[in-house]
Amino acid sequence: MATNPLLSGDSRFTIDNIPFGVISTKQDPTPRCAAAIGDFAIDLAKFAGDSRLDSIIGQNAATDIFSKPCLNSFAALERETRRAVRAALQLDIQDELIPPHCLVKLADVTMHLPFSIGGYSDFYCSLEHVQNCSPLAGVANIPESWFYAPSVYNGRVSSVVPSATPIRRPRGVYHGPDGKPVYGPSRALDFELEMGVFVSKPIDFASVLDIRDVEEHVFGFVLLNDWSARDLQVFEMKPLGPFHGKGFGTSISPWVVTMEALDPFKCSPKTKQNPAPFDHLKWPGPAGTFDINLEVELIRAGKVVKICSSNLRYLYWTPYQQLAHHASAGCGLSTGDLIGTGTISGDNVAEDGRKTELGCLFEATVGGTKEAELSDGTRMTYLEDGDEIVLKGTCGVKGGSAPFVDFGECRGIITPALSS
Amino acid sequence: MATNPLLSGDSRFTIDNIPFGVISTKQDPTPRCAAAIGDFAIDLAKFAGDSRLDSIIGQNAATDIFSKPCLNSFAALERETRRAVRAALQLDIQDELIPPHCLVKLADVTMHLPFSIGGYSDFYCSLEHVQNCSPLAGVANIPESWFYAPSVYNGRVSSVVPSATPIRRPRGVYHGPDGKPVYGPSRALDFELEMGVFVSKPIDFASVLDIRDVEEHVFGFVLLNDWSARDLQVFEMKPLGPFHGKGFGTSISPWVVTMEALDPFKCSPKTKQNPAPFDHLKWPGPAGTFDINLEVELIRAGKVVKICSSNLRYLYWTPYQQLAHHASAGCGLSTGDLIGTGTISGDNVAEDGRKTELGCLFEATVGGTKEAELSDGTRMTYLEDGDEIVLKGTCGVKGGSAPFVDFGECRGIITPALSS
């Protein structure tokens, strides 16, 4: 086993993981589907073209499913079929049967958006985050509605980009130093630590989703950075909610970690819900979320500094509840729709008094009114041009015998605003 | 001329109009592009297949553009090319050169969504509407931001449906009679009289739009009914804006009226903007909007009653300003993106004291607290199961020598909520 080049202990993607994504290379610039193992991508168009998946999904798999520039056709297959594809890949990896011409080094691939995304919605479901943000947004108490249904808005699909896409500082309207509205480059650029959920099986328009069936409808998870311009956002929020304050860029990690890979990390949420949720949002078991460790790094002037850590299970409303709520009024959901979990903050306080689990700078800088102090003494308020933010996520511990899953990275660097 | 069967004075679509849409028929259920004239659709896949547009857009027009199930490929062509197609159609119609096998009676076609819609945003830009709604939503004054930029939220693309699609009453969370939150069928179902704008030339992610170029980016206009569940909406609005209260259905008229057809109806907006808009929202001329007469009818128990009339030019922020604002933060816009103008209300008071230009029942019933009285004495609050709402729109006067343009209809009937 130790000599299997795909199963090196140092490499990023373990046999427990097998995430899916969309790749291209210099030699073959046509985007197509892939899976990741070790430090390699398996080109699934080529792999299926070699008839290695015919027994599972038929002879046209390469053309109809894996040669597409998105995972939508694959994700629309029955869950059992997708499971079988993943299991077949795992077997062939272990038996060293992946044909070499199907393997591309991760260092040599360009990653694309994994899905053709028809809808993108973003939630607001961390109790710690809403507790911290409400007073800063001039809201004395958390709205009652927040405790009765997961709070959510529609995001802007055209602004969802894969990791490594530069994020241009947006121009917009906000209150200038003298209190008068001005139009100019945002002065309060922020990140938000979130995860994203991709829908597999669709839900018809005018239909709803029984929460007991929710797992059938989730393809997998990615890291998601909901870049935010706080000055634009505060100016525009009343009464219709965020628009340009969020709509200039949302970055996602390009490898989608499947429900199968996450299965060993099922757990209960951190917080008991009170009041008890309505029946249609009640999860019929204890393990309704996942234990996913999250981390944010800032790269400023070449120096890497950790900004915060967090965990998906901190969310008050779980991703399953979010999806059930989303479907409950009949809007319909399509394969490839993306759901942002909302910023995931925690309440840990370090020995030196610093809050280490605040998932955005709006919280860490108390609405931009004071500097945040990072673990190495770095002081910062909002993001500067040239700053790079890196989101990371893992399940389990690397190198042991128990399963370990790495989400890869979600990166973005801030570029200057247009001059006009 | 009088004998040309496509130019009958009684028929719906005049030679001044030539709207575009997507049709199918019983005989040929594959959706494809069409134009409308008189009481007929011109099947553009067949028309181009006869090589009648080769000189304008080449020999592959039928396959590459008009055989598609949406107008996106056509709308992505240069404006001059689209103009030439329209002019060629007008000439052939007048010269009775449209081959009979390309004509289908409108009564025999099924209409589909005209575009594959990647993004749908909905504005809130009528001063009368915001003046009437703000106090009902517990907002004492119109937010200052409303006067500095067109207010807007992202809508739900999956819920945009063509006219005649039934609208199911949604279930959702709202305050029950005892003030406690309940989950059940909406009791405050409303329509909203709007128009929709379809984008032609795209605007790249991280780029902006110079308002002087805006006409290049608009394909045309449709009627749009932004169905609203006021109880769900009021419950969920704070702080992220509308979601399920709007996301269960948005109906549009299926024939898109082009900028060319609307050209004779350019006019100035009703209201002078104060404060003056920022430079990037300043329209460089007087005629920044269109004189489009709008009307809403209710069909209840077989009886047709007019609910209100209005006009696009009443909007405080014009569609061009909306588009320039939409693009200003770099979100990117794609061909086929849909922009809702927001409810278009006016301030006319009839001799009997009734306000006749309120574009939704939330206004006409003062937030559901009193019955609205219609012109024939009908009294109503919100929509009941079985109610049908019909939006109509016209420019000019039918039957004269001056141009006349009819938008057709945008209909929807309310069906009962799911039982659970």
Side-chain angles (χ1 to χ4, degrees):
Chain A
M1 285 285 284
T3 57
N4 187 329
L6 302 182
L7 299 178
S8 153
D10 292 336
S11 60
R12 167 142 263 158
F13 296 114
T14 60
I15 190 86
D16 314 312
N17 194 347
I18 317 289
F20 291 86
V22 172
I23 63 164
S24 68
T25 55
K26 242 182 208 166
Q27 290 71 34
D28 184 356
T30 310
R32 66 271 187 193
C33 301
I37 179 67
D39 293 320
F40 292 86
I42 303 172
D43 182 328
L44 293 176
K46 286 191 180 151
F47 188 73
D50 279 5
S51 299
R52 299 194 74 85
L53 295 169
D54 287 8
S55 62
I56 302 169
I57 33 177
Q59 292 179 0
N60 297 324
T63 321
D64 295 351
I65 294 171
F66 295 117
S67 295
K68 298 265 173 80
C70 56
L71 294 169
N72 296 56
S73 297
F74 178 52
L77 298 174
E78 292 289 325
R79 192 178 179 196
E80 281 312 312
T81 310
R82 288 184 272 118
R83 271 191 181 149
V85 168
R86 181 172 176 270
L89 287 169
Q90 286 174 317
L91 261 182
D92 280 1
I93 290 164
Q94 277 167 327
D95 296 344
E96 303 196 33
L97 290 175
I98 307 287
H101 78 108
C102 300
L103 291 169
V104 195
K105 279 188 190 156
L106 289 180
D108 295 336
V109 300
T110 298
M111 299 302 301
H112 301 264
L113 279 181
F115 282 90
S116 170
I117 304 171
Y120 163 48
S121 315
D122 194 25
F123 281 84
Y124 182 55
C125 286
S126 152
L127 183 59
E128 291 82 356
H129 178 61
V130 68
Q131 280 169 337
N132 293 333
C133 291
S134 292
L136 303 177
V139 178
N141 298 303
I142 301 172
E144 177 198 32
S145 60
W146 193 90
F147 293 96
Y148 283 92
S151 189
V152 55
Y153 69 98
N154 291 298
R156 177 79 196 161
V157 171
S158 63
S159 69
V160 179
V161 294
S163 176
T165 306
I167 299 297
R168 195 191 291 287
R169 181 181 298 274
R171 297 173 69 87
V173 184
Y174 53 89
H175 286 111
D178 62 357
K180 284 190 187 155
V182 295
Y183 174 69
S186 169
R187 300 172 172 206
L189 210 50
D190 201 354
F191 70 88
E192 283 193 336
L193 170 58
E194 304 194 12
M195 297 201 74
V197 176
F198 277 108
V199 171
S200 51
K201 185 176 174 181
I203 298 153
D204 289 342
F205 174 70
S207 297
V208 300
L209 166 66
D210 188 322
I211 194 168
R212 289 167 296 188
D213 300 330
V214 70
E215 289 176 296
E216 293 295 314
H217 297 267
V218 179
F219 181 82
F221 283 68
V222 292
L223 304 166
L224 185 149
N225 183 348
D226 176 29
W227 302 96
S228 301
R230 299 303 181 187
D231 38 10
L232 277 57
Q233 186 188 348
V234 166
F235 191 84
E236 75 190 354
M237 277 281 279
K238 286 179 191 165
L240 299 186
F243 190 75
H244 281 331
K246 302 280 192 175
F248 60 95
T250 297
S251 304
I252 59 172
S253 58
W255 290 106
V256 189
V257 174
T258 64
M259 300 297 286
E260 286 68 39
L262 292 175
D263 196 67
F265 305 101
K266 279 180 177 168
C267 69
S268 56
K270 177 184 166 194
T271 310
K272 191 175 152 61
Q273 295 181 319
N274 179 21
F278 287 114
D279 283 348
H280 70 294
L281 300 178
K282 222 169 246 168
W283 179 247
T289 188
F290 300 93
D291 183 11
I292 304 176
N293 295 303
L294 303 166
E295 201 175 298
V296 180
E297 285 175 357
L298 166 73
I299 306 176
R300 178 174 282 183
K303 203 172 98 178
V304 182
V305 194
K306 180 171 158 180
I307 295 190
C308 69
S309 57
S310 193
N311 192 299
L312 182 75
R313 66 181 288 269
Y314 292 174
L315 284 180
Y316 183 89
W317 292 102
T318 70
Y320 289 169
Q321 291 179 313
Q322 292 177 348
L323 194 55
H325 172 66
H326 199 312
S328 65
C331 69
L333 284 147
S334 304
T335 303
D337 278 2
L338 175 63
I339 289 169
T341 60
T343 305
I344 307 165
S345 292
D347 56 11
N348 184 61
V349 180
E351 284 183 9
D352 61 5
R354 287 181 312 104
K355 294 180 177 176
T356 63
E357 294 181 334
L358 304 177
C360 64
L361 295 171
F362 190 64
E363 291 174 77
T365 65
V366 193
T369 60
K370 55 170 246 175
E371 287 186 323
E373 189 182 342
L374 308 183
S375 53
D376 72 339
T378 297
R379 304 182 75 88
M380 68 181 303
T381 50
Y382 286 118
L383 297 174
E384 298 171 5
D385 292 347
D387 280 355
E388 187 167 10
I389 290 288
V390 186
L391 271 51
K392 297 181 173 179
T394 52
C395 300
V397 180
K398 194 167 185 172
S401 59
F404 171 76
V405 164
D406 193 328
F407 281 78
E409 292 179 341
C410 175
R411 311 183 153 254
I413 194 167
I414 305 297
T415 58
L418 291 171
S419 56
S420 71
Chain B
M1 286 287 281
T3 57
N4 187 328
L6 302 182
L7 299 178
S8 152
D10 292 336
S11 61
R12 167 142 263 157
F13 296 115
T14 61
I15 190 85
D16 315 312
N17 194 348
I18 317 289
F20 291 85
V22 172
I23 64 163
S24 68
T25 54
K26 242 185 208 161
Q27 289 71 34
D28 184 355
T30 309
R32 68 268 188 195
C33 300
I37 179 67
D39 293 320
F40 292 86
I42 303 172
D43 182 328
L44 292 176
K46 286 192 182 151
F47 188 72
D50 279 6
S51 299
R52 298 195 72 86
L53 296 169
D54 287 8
S55 61
I56 302 170
I57 34 178
Q59 291 180 0
N60 296 324
T63 321
D64 295 352
I65 295 171
F66 295 118
S67 296
K68 299 266 174 79
C70 56
L71 293 169
N72 296 56
S73 297
F74 177 53
L77 298 173
E78 291 291 326
R79 192 178 180 195
E80 282 312 311
T81 310
R82 288 184 271 117
R83 270 191 182 149
V85 169
R86 181 171 177 269
L89 287 169
Q90 285 174 318
L91 261 183
D92 279 1
I93 290 164
Q94 276 167 326
D95 297 343
E96 303 196 33
L97 291 175
I98 307 288
H101 78 108
C102 300
L103 292 168
V104 195
K105 278 188 189 155
L106 289 179
D108 295 336
V109 300
T110 298
M111 298 303 302
H112 301 263
L113 279 181
F115 282 90
S116 169
I117 304 171
Y120 163 47
S121 315
D122 194 26
F123 280 83
Y124 182 53
C125 285
S126 153
L127 184 58
E128 292 82 356
H129 179 61
V130 69
Q131 280 170 338
N132 293 332
C133 290
S134 292
L136 303 177
V139 179
N141 298 304
I142 301 173
E144 177 198 30
S145 60
W146 193 89
F147 293 96
Y148 283 91
S151 188
V152 55
Y153 68 100
N154 291 297
R156 176 80 197 161
V157 171
S158 63
S159 69
V160 180
V161 293
S163 176
T165 306
I167 300 297
R168 195 191 292 287
R169 180 182 298 273
R171 298 172 70 87
V173 183
Y174 54 89
H175 286 110
D178 62 356
K180 284 192 187 151
V182 295
Y183 174 70
S186 168
R187 298 173 174 205
L189 210 50
D190 200 353
F191 70 88
E192 282 194 335
L193 170 59
E194 303 194 13
M195 296 201 75
V197 176
F198 277 107
V199 171
S200 50
K201 186 176 174 181
I203 298 154
D204 288 343
F205 174 70
S207 298
V208 300
L209 165 67
D210 187 323
I211 194 168
R212 290 167 294 187
D213 300 330
V214 69
E215 289 176 296
E216 293 295 314
H217 296 268
V218 179
F219 181 82
F221 283 67
V222 291
L223 304 165
L224 185 150
N225 183 348
D226 176 30
W227 303 95
S228 300
R230 300 301 181 187
D231 39 9
L232 276 58
Q233 187 188 347
V234 166
F235 191 83
E236 76 191 354
M237 278 280 280
K238 286 179 193 164
L240 299 186
F243 191 75
H244 282 331
K246 302 280 192 175
F248 60 94
T250 297
S251 304
I252 59 172
S253 57
W255 289 106
V256 189
V257 175
T258 64
M259 300 297 284
E260 287 67 40
L262 292 175
D263 196 66
F265 306 100
K266 279 181 177 167
C267 69
S268 55
K270 176 185 166 194
T271 310
K272 190 175 154 59
Q273 295 181 319
N274 179 19
F278 287 114
D279 284 348
H280 70 293
L281 300 178
K282 223 169 245 168
W283 179 248
T289 189
F290 300 94
D291 183 10
I292 303 175
N293 294 303
L294 302 166
E295 200 175 300
V296 180
E297 286 173 357
L298 165 73
I299 306 176
R300 177 174 282 183
K303 204 171 96 178
V304 182
V305 194
K306 180 171 158 181
I307 295 190
C308 69
S309 57
S310 194
N311 192 299
L312 182 75
R313 68 181 287 268
Y314 293 174
L315 284 180
Y316 182 90
W317 292 101
T318 70
Y320 289 168
Q321 293 179 312
Q322 293 177 347
L323 194 55
H325 172 65
H326 199 313
S328 65
C331 69
L333 285 147
S334 305
T335 304
D337 278 2
L338 175 63
I339 289 169
T341 59
T343 305
I344 306 164
S345 293
D347 56 11
N348 183 62
V349 180
E351 283 183 10
D352 61 4
R354 286 182 312 106
K355 294 180 177 175
T356 63
E357 294 181 335
L358 303 178
C360 64
L361 295 170
F362 190 63
E363 291 174 77
T365 65
V366 192
T369 61
K370 54 169 249 179
E371 287 186 323
E373 189 181 343
L374 308 183
S375 53
D376 73 337
T378 298
R379 304 182 76 88
M380 70 181 302
T381 50
Y382 286 118
L383 298 175
E384 299 171 5
D385 291 348
D387 281 354
E388 187 168 10
I389 290 288
V390 186
L391 271 51
K392 297 180 175 180
T394 54
C395 300
V397 180
K398 194 166 184 172
S401 58
F404 172 76
V405 164
D406 192 328
F407 281 79
E409 292 179 342
C410 176
R411 314 183 151 253
I413 194 166
I414 304 297
T415 58
L418 291 170
S419 57
S420 72

